[in-house]
Amino acid sequence: MKIAVTSASGKLGASIVKHLINLVGKDNVIGVARTPEKAAYLGVEIRKGDYNSREQFNAALKGVDAVLLVSGMDAPDKRIIQHRNVIEAAIQNGVKKIVYTSIVGAEEGNAFSPIVQTNRQTEKDLQNSGLEWVIGRNGIYIEPDLEYLETYIKEGEIRNCAANGKCTYTSREELGYGYAKMLTEDKHHGQVYNLVGEPVTQSQLTGYMNQVFHTSLIYHSVSVADYKAERVAALGDFIGTVIAGIYEGIKEGANDVSSDYKVATGRAHISTIDMMKVFKETLD
Ligand SMILES: NC(=O)c1ccc[n+]([C@@H]2O[C@H](COP(=O)([O-])OP(=O)(O)OC[C@H]3O[C@@H](n4cnc5c(N)ncnc54)[C@H](OP(=O)(O)O)[C@@H]3O)[C@@H](O)[C@H]2O)c1
């Protein structure tokens, strides 16, 4: 069984490839990447695939039995078409199954919602494709927050507009394991899984960071409007607005969802503090 993983040059794609190699061996895994040279280190066959090019995916998915489609990074209006390029190339090549990395979040009500909507449209496209499908809705990755630690330390605080909202974080490491299982086991066909850990508030998150990284940060809750203005000034209109929308969604409960991780993988998702410890080990 040949399994292709798109966006293999990215961090999530690479984690999925790594876990798949453990389950089925490197000869059965193909990485597909827009920039193949960035994925060469993975030690599997790498093929070229830009989501904007149906032709590249027609070639990349030859002889492939199952595809892991990592959701794209472009603006919402482009993503649906990009994902369709992969789904249609899969159908043309006789691929049997697609597993898609979707997202947890509110479809209406905040500045992240347009992105959630594009993910939901791709979910529908897959469900109507005639292929076997499995959909994972990813929680927010914990790693980018931890990579931001130096800034938090400089500022003495974690500041955002999530207030007391709870967020079910996950990690690329946990997701890599989950998607490898969903790709290789038939019992997941036709399922939509929330791939998330336990719900935590920003205050709890701050406390766990203090324990693991020996910091003394506080959590500072600010209004949505203030946080948006700050992020837009720091990151520009598009990303700044999206980040503020993500934290607004957390405030409103959009990320306080029940976890299907154990059903998807056969084991419990690790705790938030343990995800931090795993991340810290990668730094040492
Ligand atoms: N759950 C979360 O917290 C969260 C956070 C951020 C993003 N995401 C979503 O999760 C996805 C994967 O995240 P990640 O951590 O792996 O991000 P990452 O490390 O930044 O990697 C992004 C990947 O997307 C690829 N890519 C971008 N445009 C492409 C295109 N037109 N065609 C093919 N590949 C393209 C990049 O390829 P190159 O190497 O060629 O640039 C790279 O492999 C993202 O794309 C985004 O949809 C989720």
Side-chain angles (χ1 to χ4, degrees), residues 9-12 34-35 38 50-51 71-73 139 141 172:
S9 58
K11 292 181 182 133
L12 179 61
R34 176 176 64 174
T35 320
K38 281 167 68 181
D50 184 322
Y51 292 145
S71 67
M73 295 282 268
Y141 308 151
R172 295 188 187 96

Side-chain angles (χ1 to χ4, degrees), residues 118-167:
T118 67
N119 282 270
R120 297 288 173 268
Q121 181 58 53
T122 297
E123 291 181 10
K124 287 192 192 107
D125 289 346
L126 259 188
Q127 288 163 343
N128 295 327
S129 68
L131 302 174
E132 297 288 2
W133 56 267
V134 191
I135 292 163
R137 290 183 177 170
N138 298 349
I140 294 177
Y141 308 151
I142 195 110
E143 291 96 338
D145 241 339
L146 304 177
E147 284 157 7
Y148 212 63
L149 190 65
E150 260 183 50
T151 306
Y152 291 146
I153 292 169
K154 258 185 230 150
E155 297 182 347
E157 62 183 26
I158 295 181
R159 187 176 56 254
N160 60 50
C161 61
N164 292 320
K166 288 190 172 172
C167 179

Side-chain angles (χ1 to χ4, degrees), residues 255-272:
N255 288 78
D256 189 0
V257 296
S258 59
S259 178
D260 302 311
Y261 190 86
K262 192 166 182 188
V263 183
T265 66
R267 70 156 169 82
H269 193 285
I270 68 171
S271 66
T272 305

Side-chain angles (χ1 to χ4, degrees), residues 97-115:
K97 164 174 175 174
I98 300 197
V99 182
Y100 172 55
T101 74
S102 188
I103 190 92
V104 167
E107 285 155 57
E108 303 285 341
N110 65 61
F112 187 55
S113 296
I115 290 177

Side-chain angles (χ1 to χ4, degrees), residues 3-10 13 17 29-36 39 42 44-51 56-57 59-62 64 66-68 70 86:
I3 304 174
V5 179
T6 71
S7 284
S9 58
V17 166
V29 183
I30 297 166
V32 182
R34 176 176 64 174
T35 320
L42 292 168
V44 298
E45 180 186 349
I46 301 295
R47 298 180 183 176
K48 187 164 175 61
D50 184 322
Y51 292 145
Q56 285 180 11
F57 271 92
L61 300 186
K62 286 209 182 328
V64 165
V67 174
L68 186 288
V70 171
V86 179

Side-chain angles (χ1 to χ4, degrees), residues 94-233:
V95 168
K96 295 180 194 69
K97 164 174 175 174
I98 300 197
V99 182
Y100 172 55
T101 74
S102 188
I103 190 92
V104 167
E107 285 155 57
E108 303 285 341
N110 65 61
F112 187 55
S113 296
I115 290 177
V116 177
Q117 284 166 20
T118 67
N119 282 270
R120 297 288 173 268
Q121 181 58 53
T122 297
E123 291 181 10
K124 287 192 192 107
D125 289 346
L126 259 188
Q127 288 163 343
N128 295 327
S129 68
L131 302 174
E132 297 288 2
W133 56 267
V134 191
I135 292 163
R137 290 183 177 170
N138 298 349
I140 294 177
Y141 308 151
I142 195 110
E143 291 96 338
D145 241 339
L146 304 177
E147 284 157 7
Y148 212 63
L149 190 65
E150 260 183 50
T151 306
Y152 291 146
I153 292 169
K154 258 185 230 150
E155 297 182 347
E157 62 183 26
I158 295 181
R159 187 176 56 254
N160 60 50
C161 61
N164 292 320
K166 288 190 172 172
C167 179
T168 49
Y169 287 91
T170 185
S171 68
R172 295 188 187 96
E173 182 60 26
E174 288 294 271
L175 292 173
Y177 180 72
Y179 282 110
K181 298 288 274 185
M182 289 152 65
L183 281 159
T184 52
E185 296 175 347
D186 291 349
K187 64 184 177 189
H188 306 296
H189 294 177
Q191 299 299 314
V192 181
Y193 292 134
N194 288 334
L195 299 176
V196 299
E198 77 207 283
V200 294
T201 63
Q202 295 297 300
S203 297
Q204 286 173 307
L205 190 78
T206 309
Y208 294 148
M209 277 196 205
N210 286 338
Q211 278 184 56
V212 174
F213 297 98
H214 310 295
T215 50
S216 40
L217 303 170
I218 55 155
Y219 174 58
H220 181 180
S221 174
V222 294
S223 72
V224 173
D226 285 354
Y227 188 61
K228 182 178 167 193
E230 179 190 317
R231 289 296 85 197
V232 167

